[in-house]
Amino acid sequence: MPDNKLKLEDLLDKTQSVDSPDKISKVAIVGAGVMGQGIGQSIASAGMDVVIIEKDKENLQRAQNSLSEFIDNEIKRWAMTNSEKKAILSRITWQTTFDNIGDCDLFVEAVTEDFELKKKIFGEMDKRAKGESILISNTSTLSLTKLAEVTSRPEKVIGLHFLNPVPKVPLVEVIKCVHTSNETVKIIKEFAKNIGKTPVEVYEYPGYVTTRAIVPLLNEAMYILLEGVAIAPDIDTAMKLGYNFQYGPLEMADIMGLDEVLTWMESLWKTLGEPRYRACPILRKLVREKKLGKKTGEGFYKYDHHGNIIE
Ligand code: NAD
């Protein structure tokens, strides 16, 4: 007897496409903040060409300097060589326009966590990209399905949720939205492995696995600080040594960027309605004061210009 039962997989994959990039050799990245720089470095390290697009010359220059400094720090720690730095930077082109990117096989959006902005960037990437190119977002909390719907290729829209610092974190969450085809998932999982990451497949849901699970921990550490239970370095030391974490929660929030952490919390609070996602007042205060963590030189700690904690 033939098996006539429709499988869920078949239903989900009715958008399977035939034209997909055979080989990924050139990638455009829009947004060169903490994440865009790290993603660019990881892809260029794997031998692919990268075009990085920023909104203006000032931000572009800042990103170029900061990436160069990040690699210099790695060289100082003997984790990289000068010739590796030269090879990586030679594969990256920096620009402030969407010109000359039509031959890119992948487009990665890594701009600020703002839905209207991301929608605009997705529209622009869709317009410039060749038919077979895949469009990726690095969003932590926004709806990929809605982003896919502003494009003419929703089956080729997927999330790739890298974690900070991208070159050092071996994980990436591969986020399948309602429209993403299985073929797109397959290509992107392969791409993730080619740039040295372990992909974990996740269905679209606010905060996915990593953001959803880490945010309440960061928030709780902030309340511990606010309630005067312990000072910041002691909270971090307790969590690092007690649970074998690489970073304590307050330093981790500083590395992630306190504005980003607040945006994720507000988005999770709005979409899931759980009190555990209500941001601690101390986080709001630091963001109001533009003390955004490591990237601005001050957050829960102060940092020197190499990004080392000074107090
Ligand atoms: P960031 O603030 O460091 O960088 C965002 C960059 O986007 C800035 O350099 C800004 O100038 C640029 N930008 C803004 N508008 C632009 C435009 N129109 N064209 C080109 N560039 C533009 O933020 P980030 O921490 O790098 O986060 C970027 C994305 O990655 C967000 O969606 C965030 O949720 C996600 N993410 C962040 C982390 C983290 O730990 N920081 C982790 C995973 C995912």
Side-chain angles (χ1 to χ4, degrees):
M1 274 275 285
D3 180 7
N4 288 331
K5 266 191 251 154
L6 255 183
K7 294 195 192 88
L8 180 62
E9 283 288 283
D10 302 333
L11 283 172
L12 286 174
D13 204 30
K14 53 185 185 290
T15 51
Q16 194 87 285
S17 60
V18 281
D19 54 339
S20 297
D22 306 326
K23 193 173 162 282
I24 290 159
S25 54
K26 189 171 177 189
V27 180
I29 299 172
V30 187
V34 185
M35 299 308 288
Q37 291 165 40
I39 298 168
Q41 182 189 331
S42 299
I43 297 174
S45 298
M48 293 166 228
D49 289 325
V50 175
V51 181
I52 295 186
I53 301 170
E54 250 297 338
K55 62 178 176 191
D56 54 36
K57 288 214 168 92
E58 196 188 332
N59 278 287
L60 193 73
Q61 191 59 54
R62 174 196 48 75
Q64 273 180 283
N65 296 345
S66 143
L67 178 60
S68 173
E69 208 170 298
F70 180 88
I71 301 179
D72 285 342
N73 279 340
E74 292 301 284
I75 294 171
K76 272 189 216 134
R77 295 184 330 102
W78 300 91
M80 255 176 147
T81 64
N82 271 311
S83 50
E84 278 170 325
K85 175 180 179 181
K86 227 167 133 188
I88 290 169
L89 296 185
S90 73
R91 291 190 199 106
I92 303 180
T93 311
W94 302 82
Q95 58 190 54
T96 54
T97 67
F98 282 80
D99 297 336
N100 307 318
I101 51 171
D103 58 342
C104 290
D105 307 299
L106 289 188
F107 286 72
V108 183
E109 170 280 307
V111 299
T112 324
E113 189 82 334
D114 170 334
F115 189 61
E116 289 309 313
L117 173 64
K118 285 188 192 273
K119 253 178 27 188
K120 203 176 105 206
I121 301 292
F122 260 75
E124 197 65 44
M125 296 192 306
D126 187 41
K127 206 161 68 189
R128 308 286 175 142
K130 55 188 176 184
E132 61 267 38
S133 302
I134 292 172
L135 311 183
I136 292 171
S137 175
N138 186 45
T139 179
S140 300
T141 52
L142 302 172
S143 169
L144 275 171
T145 299
K146 287 191 191 150
L147 285 177
E149 285 166 3
V150 305
T151 75
S152 60
R153 61 185 90 201
E155 75 287 358
K156 291 184 186 299
V157 172
I158 191 164
L160 208 43
H161 187 237
F162 291 95
L163 272 72
N164 183 23
V166 182
K168 294 187 179 180
V169 179
L171 170 84
V172 68
E173 287 172 288
V174 175
I175 321 293
K176 195 173 175 181
C177 79
V178 168
H179 306 291
T180 314
S181 72
N182 286 346
E183 191 189 357
T184 301
V185 174
K186 197 169 132 223
I187 293 167
I188 293 305
K189 279 172 95 173
E190 206 45 48
F191 167 73
K193 287 181 200 156
N194 288 342
I195 61 167
K197 306 293 179 201
T198 299
V200 170
E201 206 176 314
V202 178
Y203 284 96
E204 179 178 5
Y205 205 79
Y208 318 127
V209 175
T210 52
T211 307
R212 184 173 167 181
I214 200 69
V215 147
L217 174 71
L218 304 183
N219 208 38
E220 203 54 38
M222 293 172 202
Y223 272 110
I224 292 171
L225 180 68
L226 183 72
E227 289 165 22
V229 179
I231 57 169
D234 287 348
I235 295 171
D236 278 348
T237 301
M239 296 304 284
K240 273 195 292 194
L241 300 186
Y243 294 106
N244 212 8
F245 286 176
Q246 194 178 351
Y247 300 103
L250 300 174
E251 188 182 357
M252 199 188 286
D254 269 357
I255 294 171
M256 289 168 165
L258 300 184
D259 51 341
E260 282 295 326
V261 175
L262 179 59
T263 310
W264 303 337
M265 297 216 62
E266 283 178 337
S267 173
L268 289 167
W269 166 237
K270 206 163 94 191
T271 48
L272 300 174
E274 296 278 359
R276 61 176 176 269
Y277 298 116
R278 204 179 58 201
C280 175
I282 213 167
L283 175 64
R284 291 187 186 284
K285 182 171 178 286
L286 287 169
V287 172
R288 243 191 343 263
E289 292 169 353
K290 303 257 179 304
K291 293 174 181 165
L292 307 181
K294 203 167 175 175
K295 64 183 169 187
T296 56
E298 187 171 352
F300 289 101
Y301 298 94
K302 284 190 178 158
Y303 298 85
D304 65 18
H305 69 280
H306 298 300
N308 299 317
I309 293 178
I310 47 180
E311 63 179 73

